[in-house]
Amino acid sequence: MPVFYGKSISSPLMLGTAQYPSPAILAAAFSASGAGVATVSLRRESGGGQDFLRLIEKLDVALLPNTAGCHTVKEAVTTAQMARELLRTNWIKLEVIGHDDLLAPDVFALVEAARELSSQGFRVFPYCTEDLSVCDRLLRAGCEVLMPWGAPIGSGLGLNNPLGLRALRAAFPDVPLVIDAGIGRPSHAAAAMEMGFDAVLLNTAVAKAGDPVTMAHAMAQALDAGRAAFLADPIDEREMATPSTPLIGKAFLQ
């Protein structure tokens, strides 16, 4: 199971808490998924009040508040400080959005905010791109976990840049890596785990599915299958065919 900042998590699935049809379906989806972490938007908590917080606490999972919707370093740092006070955790999923159409991270502000929050004792989970130089700067800023996007948030496109994600995994073999955003189907989640990623964070793919509870269960199964496949050391791909049946002892017709 993945370990983040010294804390072991019961499942590699990290699940969001927004957009569900009802609180009851949210709770059922978490139960079906076995997710080990719930991400919580401070804005959602501010609007939902204590009823929502009590519901999340009953899930008995680790809480990962986020700075969703923040566009500047100051906004992100202030939101993180409020989240720590309200939810009593040093964990923070750091989002600093630089482009509204793609909800792409502002990587320059992200590094600056990560450095400031780390200096204040936060355990930062940065929502970033797969760019190696950016990820290296985030690690030097104090992050011990990286959360590269698979595709734009809510798009359901899957893993847009598998070559870049494989390069990231190879460059930082000992750093916990979480695919964050873009997952639409269980096959996307399985592919991420087959690459050797440690966990997957998703929300919309489950919350907006026709049957969120069944989809949550399917995602959990996909992550398990992908992780098992990674540990099983898959064969290398080949451009030419190779016989799977030995030719030794084969009978030849005259």
Side-chain angles (χ1 to χ4, degrees):
M1 289 299 110
V3 177
F4 303 121
Y5 291 105
K7 183 174 182 176
S8 180
I9 301 302
S10 60
S11 165
L13 178 57
M14 306 168 78
L15 202 54
T17 55
Q19 306 184 77
Y20 287 86
S22 71
I25 293 177
L26 185 158
F30 267 83
S31 178
S33 72
V37 172
T39 59
V40 181
S41 168
L42 186 62
R43 293 184 178 184
R44 168 68 184 273
E45 170 55 26
S46 299
Q50 293 303 311
D51 288 344
F52 177 72
L53 180 57
R54 280 192 287 270
L55 171 64
I56 298 302
E57 288 177 338
K58 288 181 180 177
L59 299 176
D60 193 27
V61 297
L63 291 184
L64 179 59
N66 64 56
T67 63
C70 292
H71 289 74
T72 67
V73 174
K74 183 177 181 180
E75 282 182 340
V77 170
T78 301
T79 301
Q81 292 169 335
M82 294 171 64
R84 178 161 65 180
E85 182 173 345
L86 183 64
L87 300 174
R88 302 179 297 281
T89 176
N90 284 336
W91 282 17
I92 189 72
K93 181 192 167 190
L94 178 60
E95 292 185 24
V96 184
I97 300 302
H99 193 288
D100 284 334
D101 288 344
L102 295 178
L103 295 179
D106 179 336
V107 296
F108 304 101
L110 183 68
V111 172
E112 184 179 347
R115 183 179 297 110
E116 175 60 28
L117 289 171
S118 295
S119 73
Q120 296 183 20
F122 282 92
R123 304 302 191 186
V124 180
F125 295 67
Y127 163 63
C128 58
T129 67
E130 69 276 14
D131 185 281
L132 295 181
S133 61
V134 171
C135 289
D136 184 57
R137 289 174 184 269
L138 287 167
L139 295 173
R140 283 189 276 140
C143 299
E144 297 180 12
V145 177
L146 297 172
M147 301 184 77
W149 64 351
I153 294 172
S155 67
L157 290 171
L159 308 179
N160 273 355
N161 184 7
L163 291 178
L165 292 171
R166 288 194 183 95
L168 181 65
R169 178 71 283 177
F172 304 110
D174 299 323
V175 176
L177 299 180
V178 183
I179 289 293
D180 178 15
I183 298 298
R185 301 176 184 279
S187 56
H188 301 155
M193 298 302 288
E194 286 180 14
M195 288 183 186
F197 282 78
D198 298 276
V200 170
L201 191 157
L202 57 91
N203 186 162
T204 305
V206 167
K208 303 296 285 185
D211 183 343
V213 177
T214 299
M215 184 59 79
H217 182 58
M219 287 291 184
Q221 291 180 309
L223 264 71
D224 287 344
R227 180 63 180 171
F230 171 73
L231 294 175
D233 189 16
I235 63 170
D236 295 329
E237 295 181 355
R238 296 170 54 94
E239 293 185 354
M240 302 298 291
T242 179
S244 57
T245 302
L247 298 178
I248 298 176
K250 178 181 178 182
F252 290 91
L253 298 178
Q254 299 297 323

